[in-house]
Amino acid sequence: MAKPIRFKQKKKHYVLPEPGTTPGFVYIDANSLKPKIHLYSFNAEEFEVVELANLKNIREKTANQDTFYWVDIRGLNSVELFNVFSDDLKIHKLVLEDITRTYHRPKFEEYDGYNFAISRMLGIAEDGGLENEQVSFIQTKNVLYTFQESYEDCLDAVRKRLKEGKGNIRISGTGYLMYALMDMIVDSYFSILSKWSEDMDTIEDELLARPDRKVMYETQLVKRNLISLRRVIWPERDKMNDILRTESDLISDQTKMFIKDAYDHCIQLMDMLESMKEIASTNIDMYLSIISNRMNEIMKVLTIISSVFIPLTFIAGIYGMNFAKQDPVTGKIMPGNMPELYQENGYQYTLLVMAFIAVVQIIFFWRKGWFK
């Protein structure tokens, strides 16, 4: 017998420190990547990007108040890296803990002299599952620090805008740059939903053409991914709302206008997501309904066949008992036994009666509409 089709979703397992660890403990996962650090320096006229081996003397490298900086850190496997933030930049240990424990929901927090935020960067894995990576932001007056778990991301469009100097990205400060990166992450959610929407259309076509278990498994996988995406979009919307309501001097009123647009995108994503969840649930219900109807059709055919053969089997059973009218050995007449057993042409008469009964039943079932 063929093995059933199975669809598995790749789950990310987080390696966590022991329960009861001191709050603010910076936990470095041994499986995490070594950091790659790029320093972007830019203003209205200039743009420069250099790769750094470490963050030593980062204060001196970002000291020019007429220039904005973006420190792009990809990979978190470095104790020295976080010591710089703790000792030199005076970043709170709870913030560093949230950066290294990469399972947090999107959020925005204000601290003395800097803001801290978390976003979730999503992608579709090769097996159809949902890749979910944490992106953390530390925003100061003229420097934005970002932290990612992996080397790959969806932020190249922002890097290109910085290089080409398009729009206000070079002159609007670190608050606008942080918005641009968050907005890029949110916009990537639209691409994911668009891909899943196409998958749902394909699944629905297959469902109507030839429903099988594969259709149900694929629909359930999409529905499961939608639930995971919902757990990201809801707090992302709340985070945008927190940024809109903040009174931090690091977020300008002009930047808040753009944040409001990102907030609207989150609302739109929620509407799309809820609609797709309903479609996925409808497809599963439709599959079960089609299978149930198909089973009913099969049972109806079997019922008709059984109903036709039951009286025929009854007649054949009676005349198969062989209670003869006359004893073939002694010639004795046995009253009450079958007088028709040795009747001339009895076999043909019996077949005609059985055929007549079958035809009458078929006509009766047809007039009742059982064959429609």
Side-chain angles (χ1 to χ4, degrees):
M1 184 176 66
K3 294 183 179 179
I5 302 173
R6 298 186 183 275
F7 292 85
K8 296 183 179 179
Q9 183 184 22
K10 184 180 179 181
K11 293 184 178 181
K12 187 172 184 178
H13 298 282
Y14 297 99
V15 181
L16 304 178
E18 293 294 329
T21 305
T22 303
F25 174 73
V26 177
Y27 176 75
I28 304 298
D29 186 356
N31 298 320
S32 59
L33 301 175
K34 292 293 182 181
K36 291 184 178 180
I37 307 172
H38 293 84
L39 173 63
Y40 295 80
S41 308
F42 55 93
N43 54 33
E45 292 79 23
E46 299 177 351
F47 172 82
E48 182 184 9
V49 55
V50 294
E51 185 171 356
L52 304 178
N54 52 59
L55 289 184
K56 292 181 179 179
N57 303 319
I58 191 64
R59 280 185 176 274
E60 289 77 6
K61 295 175 182 177
T62 58
N64 189 351
Q65 296 299 313
D66 296 327
T67 301
F68 298 111
Y69 302 92
W70 173 22
V71 182
D72 181 15
I73 303 170
R74 286 179 270 180
L76 306 177
N77 194 347
S78 173
V79 176
E80 294 78 9
L81 175 73
F82 291 98
N83 287 338
V84 171
F85 283 96
S86 177
D87 301 335
D88 298 347
L89 301 178
K90 306 304 179 183
I91 302 300
H92 200 286
K93 289 186 177 293
L94 289 177
V95 171
L96 301 180
E97 177 188 6
D98 289 348
I99 293 174
T100 55
R101 301 190 186 186
T102 56
Y103 51 81
H104 290 280
R105 67 200 301 269
K107 64 178 180 177
F108 175 79
E109 297 174 347
E110 298 180 50
Y111 290 85
D112 186 17
Y114 62 93
N115 294 325
F116 174 63
I118 290 177
S119 293
R120 306 299 307 185
M121 186 163 54
L122 306 179
I124 300 178
E126 294 181 358
D127 61 354
L130 190 65
E131 294 180 342
N132 192 337
E133 177 186 345
Q134 177 172 306
V135 181
S136 305
F137 304 85
I138 295 178
Q139 180 215 357
T140 64
K141 183 177 180 180
N142 69 322
V143 184
L144 176 68
Y145 301 90
T146 62
F147 305 82
Q148 300 173 210
E149 302 175 61
S150 65
Y151 299 146
E152 303 297 328
D153 59 28
C154 63
L155 306 177
D156 286 339
V158 179
R159 297 185 180 96
K160 183 178 180 181
R161 286 166 56 192
L162 268 177
K163 181 179 180 180
E164 298 176 354
K166 292 184 177 180
N168 301 323
I169 195 166
R170 284 195 190 177
I171 61 176
S172 297
T174 57
Y176 185 87
L177 176 59
M178 183 172 68
Y179 148 75
L181 295 172
M182 290 181 179
D183 185 62
M184 188 70 244
I185 292 173
V186 170
D187 286 346
S188 69
Y189 300 165
F190 284 99
S191 300
I192 294 174
L193 281 179
S194 177
K195 172 64 170 59
W196 287 344
S197 179
E198 294 176 0
D199 291 344
M200 291 298 295
D201 292 340
T202 303
I203 291 172
E204 189 170 1
D205 293 340
E206 293 178 357
L207 180 62
L208 297 175
R210 191 186 59 182
D212 57 22
R213 287 181 297 175
K214 178 183 176 182
V215 171
M216 185 178 66
Y217 295 147
E218 290 177 343
T219 303
Q220 187 61 35
L221 176 59
V222 174
K223 187 176 180 181
R224 184 175 182 177
N225 287 336
L226 289 172
I227 293 174
S228 299
L229 182 57
R230 184 180 185 275
R231 295 173 59 185
V232 172
I233 295 178
W234 269 106
E236 185 71 26
R237 183 197 64 173
D238 294 339
K239 182 190 73 178
M240 295 296 181
N241 189 45
D242 291 340
I243 298 176
L244 287 173
R245 296 175 180 272
T246 183
E247 297 180 359
S248 173
D249 296 334
L250 301 177
I251 306 292
S252 66
D253 292 338
Q254 181 183 6
T255 300
K256 288 183 180 180
M257 293 178 60
F258 293 98
I259 291 290
K260 188 177 187 305
D261 181 67
Y263 177 83
D264 293 338
H265 288 173
C266 292
I267 298 296
Q268 184 179 356
L269 284 167
M270 287 302 306
D271 292 340
M272 294 173 60
L273 189 144
E274 293 299 328
S275 299
M276 289 185 62
K277 278 182 60 181
E278 292 183 7
I279 293 174
S281 298
T282 300
N283 283 349
I284 293 177
D285 293 340
M286 186 185 301
Y287 168 79
L288 296 176
S289 178
I290 291 174
I291 295 300
S292 177
N293 290 337
R294 177 184 293 179
M295 182 62 66
N296 290 338
E297 291 294 329
I298 294 174
M299 293 304 298
K300 184 171 70 172
V301 171
L302 294 177
T303 301
I304 292 174
I305 294 174
S306 300
S307 300
V308 169
F309 278 91
I310 285 175
L312 308 185
T313 306
F314 174 74
I315 295 174
I318 290 178
Y319 287 99
M321 291 186 292
N322 294 326
F323 291 117
K325 181 70 175 178
Q326 184 178 10
D327 189 335
V329 177
T330 62
K332 180 180 177 181
I333 301 298
M334 294 176 287
N337 282 4
M338 293 181 178
E340 305 93 350
L341 192 60
Y342 295 101
Q343 183 175 346
E344 186 177 356
N345 298 321
Y347 174 69
Q348 289 81 357
Y349 293 149
T350 303
L351 289 181
L352 288 175
V353 170
M354 295 170 69
F356 175 76
I357 292 174
V359 170
V360 169
Q361 285 183 295
I362 292 174
I363 294 174
F364 175 78
F365 295 148
W366 175 75
R367 296 188 64 179
K368 288 290 185 180
W370 285 25
F371 294 108
K372 293 183 180 179

